[in-house]
Amino acid sequence: MEFLSNKPLLITDTILRDAHQSQAATRMRLEDMIPACEILDSIGYYSVECWGGATFDSCMRFLNEDPWERLRAIRKAMPNTKLQMLFRGQNILGYKHYADDVVDAFCAKSIENGIDIIRIFDALNDIRNLEQAIKSTKKYGGEVEATLSYTISPIHSEEYFVKMAVELEQMGADAICIKDMANLLLPLDAYSLVKKLKETVKVPIHLHTHNTTGTGDMVYLMAAYAGVDIVDCALSPLANGTAQPATEALVATLKGSARDTGLDLGKMSNAAVHFRKVAEKLKAEGNLDPKVLNVDTNTLLYQVPGGMLSNLISQLKQAGKEDRYYDVLAEIPRVREDYGYPPLVTPSSQIVGTQAVMNIVLGERYKTFTKESKAMLKGEYGQLPGKVNEEVRAKAGIKPEDVITCRPADLLEPELPKYREEFKDIAKSDEDVLSLALFPQVAPKFLDYRDHPEKRQPAPAAAPAPAKPAAPAAAPAASGEVRTVYVEWKG
Ligand code: CO
């Protein structure tokens, strides 16, 4: 078999973001990152993904860390490597649509504090939701990696994704990312899609997958044959399973070939020594369950992201309905079809998953809807990829004339002045205003902790290991009320 490119394959390492987000509930601390930054900086990666996704929320919610300070510290410790972040289009790093001025300010501040590359995606692949973030990233001198949220459905054909990539390139993307958050992209399909994209668009193609279903390494090798420019890997101590395939394995595989990465396995081994200790610590804290390393073929059968499955189990446990697990698994694709086949990624994965749980647990389909589920059917998140089941939409109380067809953010007035006013007593900077705007339930408590050390309680001498994070999303309560609670299911 011949390589369709003879350029060295470039590697982005996700050890500081997606790897611990996917394996360890986003709990790696800055103090566990900084000692390795000098080595990471010397390896010669295309970029290191270190910010965005769920890390921002997790910093404040669980770690009492200022996410902006984390970014500045990493920037300082890694002066030679491009820093990359994950950005949810018009949702920024939150779970709803923000006005354009907030998106613009967030891009500006991310770049000002040290980000080089912003990977921008939309859960529904509605490119109108990427417009503002693309424009702002370019305006402030950042590089745009515009993203195809990969999924499988009757409407998500290879042609669909190639057409979308062409549109994103025309919108000014500096690179196109194929974001295979659920590891659904199979090796031979990866070869075909990458080959077609390389024939069609001029900008580099960056492939992101996970090893949830066990195919990740094969996906990267086939994509390398097809000429993919950059792939996302994670250093071995936090690689594989629900995280990215291991960097070292791919580097060794390509050694001496036309696509030799040129990266030094010795340096990686030194960095791995450090991160093995970090992984041990995360395990001891109860934040890394070795089960995440198992190959999970349910994803291949049900096309449900691996991270979603374990959360469904906890939701059903809370409702005392564990025996309905397979019924829920079968219900998810049906809900997805009724909703026009949205890809399952934050926030659509939580919305569709929660609806499926409710349909089963309440014993009647679409007896009730969460606020977010209605909003999605109404078009508040953008255009759903396929045809929506109008009967379901009517059950949600949405009339055809109420469906939003314009870019949802066009309906939002500028919000930044309002946030500045609202938070003027507790925000010390524009960065703080943005933290508060995105996480109004979490940021005030964190800022109080940060700015008032005198109020802090001394830690108990022998702190018990924290329990696993509370089960996210939609615990159907005894009252029958179900809420969508957003905890990252997949990055
Ligand atoms: Co990911």
Side-chain angles (χ1 to χ4, degrees), residues 34-288:
I34 292 296
C37 280
E38 196 182 334
I39 305 178
L40 291 179
D41 199 32
S42 74
I43 289 173
Y45 288 126
Y46 169 73
S47 68
V48 167
E49 192 198 38
C50 64
W51 210 62
T55 62
F56 194 93
D57 182 1
S58 177
C59 268
M60 294 189 289
R61 190 186 297 262
F62 303 114
L63 306 175
N64 273 325
E65 265 186 46
D66 187 335
W68 299 100
E69 183 49 39
R70 174 185 286 195
L71 174 55
R72 288 188 289 269
I74 296 173
R75 174 76 289 168
K76 202 167 154 225
M78 277 204 272
N80 303 307
T81 304
K82 285 184 186 174
L83 301 185
Q84 179 151 353
M85 74 174 287
L86 181 65
F87 195 105
R88 292 198 265 275
Q90 209 70 27
N91 300 340
I92 311 182
L93 303 178
Y95 309 110
K96 61 165 196 165
H97 264 54
Y98 291 90
D100 289 337
D101 62 338
V102 182
V103 173
D104 185 72
F106 207 97
C107 291
K109 287 293 170 188
S110 302
I111 293 164
E112 193 184 308
N113 283 283
I115 287 294
D116 299 287
I117 304 168
I118 305 190
R119 176 177 292 168
I120 306 164
F121 78 96
D122 177 62
L124 305 183
N125 284 324
D126 183 339
I127 61 170
R128 299 171 306 171
N129 292 336
L130 304 183
E131 260 170 37
Q132 183 61 48
I134 290 177
K135 224 192 293 173
S136 297
T137 300
K138 294 186 83 74
K139 178 166 112 188
Y140 299 110
E143 287 178 43
V144 170
E145 218 177 68
T147 301
L148 318 171
S149 297
Y150 185 80
T151 191
I152 298 172
S153 85
I155 70 152
H156 290 93
S157 60
E158 190 173 281
E159 293 68 44
Y160 173 97
F161 286 115
V162 171
K163 179 171 167 277
M164 185 176 166
V166 169
E167 288 166 356
L168 293 173
E169 186 181 38
Q170 284 162 358
M171 282 167 73
D174 299 300
I176 300 292
C177 172
I178 308 166
K179 180 177 166 61
D180 178 27
M181 53 277 175
N183 191 205
L184 289 172
L185 177 61
L186 292 168
L188 300 181
D189 295 333
Y191 182 87
S192 177
L193 177 59
V194 169
K195 182 167 180 278
K196 194 52 89 41
L197 286 172
K198 289 302 294 175
E199 288 162 2
T200 317
V201 298
K202 289 190 192 65
V203 296
I205 306 298
H206 193 154
L207 178 57
H208 174 88
T209 193
H210 291 248
N211 224 347
T212 323
T213 66
T215 62
D217 297 279
M218 295 183 273
V219 167
Y220 281 164
L221 184 59
M222 291 310 289
Y225 272 112
V228 74
D229 298 275
I230 316 154
V231 297
D232 279 3
C233 295
L235 279 169
S236 54
L238 285 167
N240 293 318
T242 50
Q244 276 66 55
T247 315
E248 299 95 316
L250 188 65
V251 167
T253 299
L254 294 173
K255 215 158 193 60
S257 79
R259 306 227 57 195
D260 192 330
T261 63
L263 302 186
D264 180 354
L265 281 169
K267 282 182 186 168
M268 283 180 207
S269 153
N270 288 338
V273 169
H274 170 78
F275 286 111
R276 259 195 296 276
K277 285 186 221 141
V278 175
E280 284 307 320
K281 191 172 122 183
L282 290 165
K283 249 179 247 168
E285 290 169 354
N287 285 319
L288 198 163

Side-chain angles (χ1 to χ4, degrees), residues 322-376:
E322 279 167 277
D323 56 322
R324 309 302 303 274
Y325 176 62
Y326 283 95
D327 296 327
V328 172
L329 273 188
E331 177 66 3
I332 289 172
R334 291 197 291 259
V335 173
R336 201 171 156 236
E337 181 179 352
D338 289 337
Y339 282 49
Y341 297 109
L344 296 179
V345 62
T346 302
S348 53
S349 52
Q350 289 89 341
I351 295 170
V352 168
T354 303
Q355 191 63 52
V357 169
M358 291 195 307
N359 287 359
I360 295 298
V361 167
L362 300 177
E364 182 190 328
R365 301 188 73 214
Y366 304 113
K367 189 175 179 187
T368 183
F369 295 80
T370 59
K371 182 168 145 270
E372 293 82 2
S373 188
K374 276 187 192 168
M376 181 171 267

